[in-house]
Amino acid sequence: MKKFKNVGKPVKKFDGVSLAVGAAKFTDDFELKDALHLSILYSPYAHAEIEDIDVSEALAVDGVVDVLTYQNVPQKLFTTAGQGYPEPSPYDSRILDRKVRFVGDRVAVVVAESKRIAEEAKKKIKVKYRVLEPIFDPERAMDDDAPMIPDPEAHMIIPAKYDPKRNLAAELDISYGDLEAGFEEADFIEEHTYRTHYGAHAMLEPHAAAAYIDEMGRLVVISTTQVPFHTRRILSMVLDIPLRKIRVIKPHLGGGFGGKQEIILEPLVALVTWRHQRPSKIVLSREEVFVSTRVRRSARLRLKTGVKKDGTITALEMDVLLNGGAYGTHGLTVLSNVGSKSLPMLNKVPAMRFFARSVYTNLPVAGAYRGYGATQAYFAINQQIDMIARKLGIDVLDYWKRIHIREGETSKIFELIGEGREGTPQLITSEHLDEAIDLGAKEIGWYDKRGKRIEVEKDKVRGVGMAVAMQGSGIPLIDMAAARMKMNDDGSFNLYVGATDIGTGSDTILAQIAAEVLQIPAEMIIVHSSDTDFTPFDTGAYASSTTYVSGGAVKKTAEKIKEQVLKVASEILDAPVDSLFLEDGKVIHRDTGRSVTFSEIALRSLYMENQFQIEATESYVGEISPPPFIAQFAEVEVDRRTGFVRVIKFVSAVDCGQPINPRLVEGQVEGAVMNGITWALTERYIFNQQGRMVNNNFGEYKIFTPPDMPEIVTIIVDSYEETGPFGAKSVAEVGINGPAPAIANAIYDAVGVRLFDLPFTPEKVYNALKATKN
Amino acid sequence: MTGKFRINGREYSIEFDPRDTLLTVLRENGFTEVKEGCSEGTCGACAVLLDGKVVNSCMVFAATAIGKEIITSKGLGDQNNPHPIQEAFAEVGAVQCGFCTPGFVISTFYLLQRNPDPTEDEIKKALDGNLCRCTGYVKIIEGVKLAAERMKNEKV
Amino acid sequence: MEEFRWYYPNSIEEAVGLLELQGVVPHGGGTGIIRGKLDRYKGLISLEGLGLDYIKEVDGVVEIGATATYHDVIEFCSALYGECILAKSLSRAASTPLRNRITIGGSVAYFPIWSDLMGPLIALDATVSLVGKNEGEYPVKEFARNRSLKSHSLIKSVKFKRFNGFTYYHRAARTHFDYGSFNITMLASFDNGVFSDVRLVLVGSKAKFQRLSEIENGLIGRSPSDVDVSELIGRIYDSVEFHNTRIGSAEYTRSVALVEIERAVHASFKAMEEQK
C-alpha cells in the first residue's frame, strides 16, 4: 500500500458538524421574503386529454396570483433528464401538457401568497378529461392496437433507435461471435426469465426548488439538484431566458441516488419568478415525491446461457424489456448500462447477444437510480451463475473466479455499448475480485454455512448466497469536470468545484486529493461547490463520476498550484525548483533543510515581489471508466412455515482502488447495501387498477429503521487504479447491485426455492415453498 | 392564535394558525434544523424534545405545546460548540446527506438521558422512529456508542 | 373557512359540556387526528388539564387514565412487574417518538385494526370507564363493538386486573415500525402441570378481534401432553378469516396466523415446562 498524508485517512466530513447541529441549509431552509408558493394539481387518470380546464374560480380566490396550465406556459419539448448536451434522452416532455400520461402527471400549478391558499384554490380548478386507454403492462406497450403514449412530436436529438408511435423509447441489438454455434456446442442450456420491480429513491429530503431575482435582475434558482449546470442549460432552453441571466445553486442536498438528476420543479419556479418578478418556492410532500418524481424502472430479463460440462459458457443471450413509465428520460442510457455494466464481467464468453428495449407505459416515470440498469442485470446474472455452478457441482466462488474478467483483459462489450452511442474500448487496469471473494467468504463463514441448512430455531433455516458486480467510474470521453483553486494569505486555499456533493462527502474527498498534492492538512482547503456563477463546470453527481473524474480535475489543478508554489519558494530560497520538496505546509530545500512556509509564499506572491495570485483551473475528461468490483454475501434465515425472510448478516468486499476516505467509502457501501436489501424484501410500488400508486407514504412503502438491520460488514480490498487520482476508482453505485441476487441465492441455499421475481415478499417465498412440497 | 413557547431555553411569543403543527411553527420561525421529511410521523426528521421527551413535531399540534419546553438539535450545540452526540456523529461518518441527522441527534439524546450505557439492541430500538437512506445506519449506531462513551467519561 | 378553535377545559365536567359542540372532538395525543382530514372538525378539546395522565394500581386492579401515553404505560408496567403483556405489546407499537404521544384514551377511542392495545385489553378483560352521556364502565369488547357509546361521552380510564402468569405477544408486520397485519395475545396460568386459565385473542382478522375460545377450552384443565396441537388449531380454521393484509393475501394471512397461534401454544407449553 502506498503511503499518503491525506488520502486513505478517515478525514471528518467537512460539513458533518454543521449538518448534525442543523445549521447547514437545504433548499427549503432559505428564507425568501414575500415568496409565492406553488401547489401542483395532478392527473387522476393514467392516460387522458384535457378537453377543458377552467381555472377562473381558483384565480378568484383571495391571494391567488396565477394559475399555470398548458395554455399559458411555453410549449417547447425537452427532456427532464439532467444529462450532458446533446442529451441521449428523448425530447418528449413539456412543462405542462394538454395530455396527461400517468396518475401524478401535472395538470396545473396554482401560484399564491401562501401554501395553504394555493392548496385550497387548487380544489376549485375544474378539468374535463377525455379518458384514453392506459397501458400498464410493458409487454403490451408495442402491440399494434396499443394507444400511442408519447407526444406525437417527441424526438431524439442524437441518432438512436426511437419509435414513439410504437411506444418504443429505446432499443439496442448488439452481438458478437457466433451465437448459434455457441448454443450448439453447449452441453446444457440454462434459460430463465427474471423480473425486477419499481423502486423509490426515498431520499429523506423531498424535491424542492426556489427562485428569486437578484439585485442585478438575474434569475437565481436554488434547488435539490444533482446537476446544477445541466439545470441551467435546460432552463434557458425551455424558458427562453438567456443562459447568462440564470444562476443555479445547489445548497445542501438531502440525498439523491439519481432521483434528483432530473429537471422537474426548477422550470416551474423559474417561470413564476421570471414572470412575476417575485421569489417563488415549492417543496413536494412525501406523497408527491413517490407519485410524481422518478423511480427505478422495472425490468423483465430473459437470460439464456449455453454451458459445457467443464463449465465453459459458450454463448449468452440477454433479452431485456424495461418499463420506463410515461416519459423516456434516461431510457436509452439505462438500457445501455444494463448490458455495458454487466456483460463485460463474463468477458470470456465467445458469443453474446444483447437485445434490449425500453418502452413507454402509463405508470410513474422512471429516471436515474443508483445502479442505473446494472442492478437489474446483476439480479439475473448472479442467480443464473449460481444455478449453473450448482448444476456443475462446483462451488460458485470457484466458478466466479474462473469466469470473471481480470486485470489486463478487455470485453468486446466496452466498445460496442456506450452511453447513447458506441462505447470506448478499454482494458481493465485494476481488478481484485478474487481477493474480494475470498475476504467476503471468510467474513460470512461461507464454508461452514453453505449448503448446511442450519436450523437455529424450529422451522427457521439459514443459508448463504453471494453475488459479484462491477460498475464504472464516470462516462468516458463524455463526463467533464473542472476545478479552480486559489491561495490565501495564510497558506489556505479556496477550492471551487462544479462537482455536486449530494451527501456523499465529495467536498471532503476532493479537498483530501488537493491536500495530498500540496502536502497540507485537508482543513487548509475551503471547498465551494455547485454554484453555476462561481464554480467551474462539472457534469454533476451521477454515473459514479465524482471521485474519478472530478477528483482527476482537482488533482490536475492542485498540481498546477504546486508548480506555482514551488516557483515562488525557489525565489525565496534562491534554489532551483528541482531541489525543493513539499512537506507539512512548507517547501523544503533538500540539501540544506532550509524551508519556507505556505503562508510566507502566499504573502510574498500577494504583497511583495513578482506579485500574482497563485491560482489555477484545470479540467478532466476520463478516457476510460475503470470499474470498481464487489463481492457481496448474504446470510438469511427463512421461516419455512410462513415464508418470512430475515437477513442475518450482509458482507461486502469492494475493490474501489485506493479509498480516498475509507469511512466515506464504507458509508457509501453500507447505504447502498441497505437500499438493496429493502428493495429486495419490503419496498414495493403497489398500483390499483387505474394505475394509481396506493402506498405513497413511508407508512406503507417500507424501508428499514435501525431495529430491522442485519449485521453489515464492509471490507475494502487493497487495490490501486493507476489512472485514477491517487489510485481511486468509484464506489457510490456498485454496492446496490449485489443484495437482491445474494439474498435470492441465500434463500435457495436455505430452503431450496428459486425466486425469479422481486420483491421477495413472504407470501412469494411461502408459495414457492408450497410448490416444492407438492 | 398566539402562544408562548420555550424553545432552546428562550421564550418566544408566536402567532400561528390553530391547526398548525409544531413542525410548521418551528420551521416558520427560523428553527430550520427541524426537518420535514414526511409529515406523517414515519421518518423522524422533525424530532424534537417536548418537555424532555422525543416526539415527531409533525405529529404535535402547536396548540398543545404552548408553555412547554422545546429542544431542537441546535438547542444541544452549535457549529463551534457541538454537543458530544453531534461531534461523534460527524466524526464516525454517521452524517452523509445530514437531512435526517438532527432528528437522530434528538433521539440519541433522549436515549442517553435515560440510559447512558445502552446495548446495541437498545440503541437500535431507541432509533426505531428515524429513517436514513444514506448510511444503512451502521455508522449512526457507532456514533451513538461513541457519544455514550464520551458523555460517560465527561460526567466522571 | 370557518374559524377553528381549541378548548382547554380544566375539569371533566367542563370537558363533557364541550362535547355538545358540533364538530368538536377530544384531543388525546393528536397522532390520529393530525393524519386525518382536519377540515372535518371545527375544534379540538385538549384533555391535558384534566389530570387523566395517571396510572395506578390498587388492590391488583390497574387503572390507566385516558391521557397516559404508551410510553407511560410501558414504564409503569415494566417497573411494576416483569412479564407485563401491555409492556410487551405496546413497546412493539409505532415508534419511540410516537409512543411518547399516543394516549391510551385516543387509542381506545379509535381502535384501528392494527391496534397493539386491543388484544391485551381484551385478554385482560379490561373495562373502559366513560363519563358524560353514557357514563359507566363497559367491557372493552362491548365498547369496541358499539361505537355509539362514544357519542357525547369521554373516555376517562381503562381498568383491568393485573395478570401475573405466562404472557405471549406476536405481531405480524413487514418491518419493525409498521402497521401490524394481525397480532396474537396469549395469557395463561398453570396449576400443577395443567392450564388453569387461558386467554387467546386474535386481532386483525375479518372479525377485527376475536377470542379463540375453542383453543382456550381445549387447553384449560389439560397438560401439554394431553393436547394434540394440530387438531386444536384445526378447530379454528373456519373461524379465522382475513381480508387481504399488508403481509399478503387473505388466504396466506390465515395460514401465517394459524402457524403463529400454534407457536403461541407451544411457547406456553415450554413456559409450563420451565416453571416446573
Side-chain angles (χ1 to χ4, degrees), chain A residues 177-397:
Chain A
D178 189 338
L179 205 68
E180 224 168 284
F183 285 126
E184 197 70 27
E185 195 193 342
D187 290 315
F188 65 94
I189 303 287
E190 197 73 27
E191 183 173 358
H192 301 282
T193 299
Y194 305 83
R195 288 189 170 81
T196 70
H197 62 138
Y198 264 20
H201 304 82
M203 68 298 268
L204 264 286
E205 179 199 28
H207 296 63
Y212 63 92
I213 303 291
D214 75 6
E215 62 276 21
M216 300 300 284
R218 293 170 73 235
L219 175 69
V220 183
V221 175
I222 303 172
S223 86
T224 57
T225 182
Q226 296 177 227
V227 284
F229 287 91
H230 298 331
T231 300
R232 180 180 65 169
R233 190 189 76 244
I234 291 171
L235 280 180
S236 165
M237 195 274 281
V238 179
L239 299 174
D240 254 330
I241 301 171
L243 188 132
R244 66 180 179 281
K245 295 212 164 184
I246 305 174
R247 173 181 173 196
V248 176
I249 299 169
K250 178 233 50 133
H252 273 89
L253 188 109
F257 316 113
K260 292 170 179 171
Q261 192 196 340
E262 200 77 18
I263 288 79
I264 303 176
L265 300 175
E266 293 88 345
L268 301 181
V269 292
L271 176 68
V272 167
T273 292
W274 198 243
R275 182 182 286 178
H276 296 281
Q277 294 288 303
R278 281 182 63 182
S280 69
K281 182 177 196 175
I282 184 166
V283 182
L284 295 188
S285 69
R286 181 55 57 185
E287 178 181 339
E288 291 176 296
V289 174
F290 273 113
V291 173
S292 75
T293 64
R294 300 293 177 260
V295 299
R296 181 192 294 287
R297 65 204 63 224
S298 61
R300 185 266 289 140
L301 306 108
R302 194 177 53 79
L303 189 56
K304 183 178 174 188
T305 39
V307 189
K308 286 217 279 205
K309 277 187 199 130
D310 68 0
T312 309
I313 301 174
T314 53
L316 181 151
E317 190 178 13
M318 188 187 256
D319 174 350
V320 183
L321 181 69
L322 297 181
N323 174 12
Y327 294 93
T329 167
H330 291 276
L332 173 60
T333 38
V334 172
L335 192 75
S336 306
N337 275 268
V338 172
S340 67
K341 295 286 186 281
S342 72
L343 297 175
M345 185 65 98
L346 300 166
N347 68 326
K348 289 162 196 72
V349 179
M352 275 195 190
R353 180 174 181 222
F354 176 65
F355 176 68
R357 283 172 163 174
S358 187
V359 294
Y360 286 94
T361 64
N362 294 107
L363 286 174
V365 187
Y369 195 134
R370 189 180 224 172
Y372 209 74
T375 315
Q376 290 91 323
Y378 279 111
F379 177 68
I381 289 173
N382 276 294
Q383 287 211 67
Q384 188 100 350
I385 296 298
D386 194 67
M387 283 185 272
I388 295 172
R390 284 178 182 277
K391 260 199 188 154
L392 295 168
I394 53 174
D395 185 7
V396 71
L397 305 188

Side-chain angles (χ1 to χ4, degrees), chain A residues 561-605:
Chain A
I561 293 280
K562 180 178 168 183
E563 282 173 23
Q564 297 170 34
V565 165
L566 285 173
K567 185 176 156 283
V568 178
S570 89
E571 288 170 17
I572 299 173
L573 294 171
D574 196 18
V577 165
D578 58 13
S579 69
L580 304 175
F581 66 98
L582 305 182
E583 196 178 283
D584 294 334
K586 284 187 284 229
V587 179
I588 303 170
H589 186 231
R590 191 171 290 126
D591 305 334
T592 63
R594 283 191 305 128
S595 69
V596 53
T597 66
F598 270 41
S599 174
E600 286 164 340
I601 290 165
L603 288 171
R604 176 179 163 105
S605 75

Side-chain angles (χ1 to χ4, degrees), chain A residues 660-674:
Chain A
I660 302 294
N661 185 321
R663 277 211 167 259
L664 296 179
V665 162
E666 287 165 8
Q668 284 299 307
V669 175
E670 288 155 1
V673 161
M674 190 63 95

Side-chain angles (χ1 to χ4, degrees), chain A residues 124-172:
Chain A
K124 297 186 190 291
I125 298 176
K126 295 198 185 76
V127 192
K128 210 175 134 204
Y129 295 96
R130 189 168 71 86
V131 178
L132 305 169
E133 183 202 344
I135 297 282
F136 300 131
D137 179 0
E139 305 281 355
R140 266 215 57 213
M142 292 185 66
D143 285 359
D144 290 336
D145 61 344
M148 178 181 177
I149 296 168
D151 195 289
E153 289 166 38
H155 60 281
M156 295 286 287
I157 62 164
I158 60 159
K161 179 143 189 189
Y162 178 64
D163 191 349
K165 284 192 181 61
R166 299 184 61 215
N167 294 325
L168 180 70
E171 181 180 303
L172 284 175

Side-chain angles (χ1 to χ4, degrees), chain B residues 1 18-19 21 40-42 50 53-56 58-61 63-64 66 68 110 114 125-126 128-129, chain C residues 1 4 6 8 27 29 31 33-35 38 44 48 71-72 75 94-101 176-177:
Chain B
M1 63 193 290
R19 289 160 301 184
T21 62
E40 50 155 24
T42 47
L50 182 64
K53 284 184 184 156
V54 63
V55 298
N56 299 308
C58 72
M59 287 285 107
V60 173
F61 283 109
T64 67
I66 293 171
K68 291 186 180 156
Y110 177 69
R114 295 151 38 82
K125 287 205 171 114
D128 63 354
Chain C
M1 219 179 293
F4 177 99
W6 279 86
Y8 299 93
H27 170 278
T31 52
I33 297 172
I34 288 185
R35 293 153 62 115
L38 258 190
L44 292 173
E48 270 188 281
H71 168 83
D72 298 337
E75 295 267 287
S95 66
T96 303
L98 288 172
R99 288 192 296 273
N100 281 336
R101 258 335 253 188
H176 181 91
F177 178 16

Side-chain angles (χ1 to χ4, degrees), chain A residues 499-520:
Chain A
T500 308
D501 193 334
I502 60 173
T504 52
S506 65
D507 285 356
T508 308
I509 68 116
L510 294 176
Q512 285 179 260
I513 289 170
E516 188 65 43
V517 173
L518 295 167
Q519 292 295 301
I520 53 176

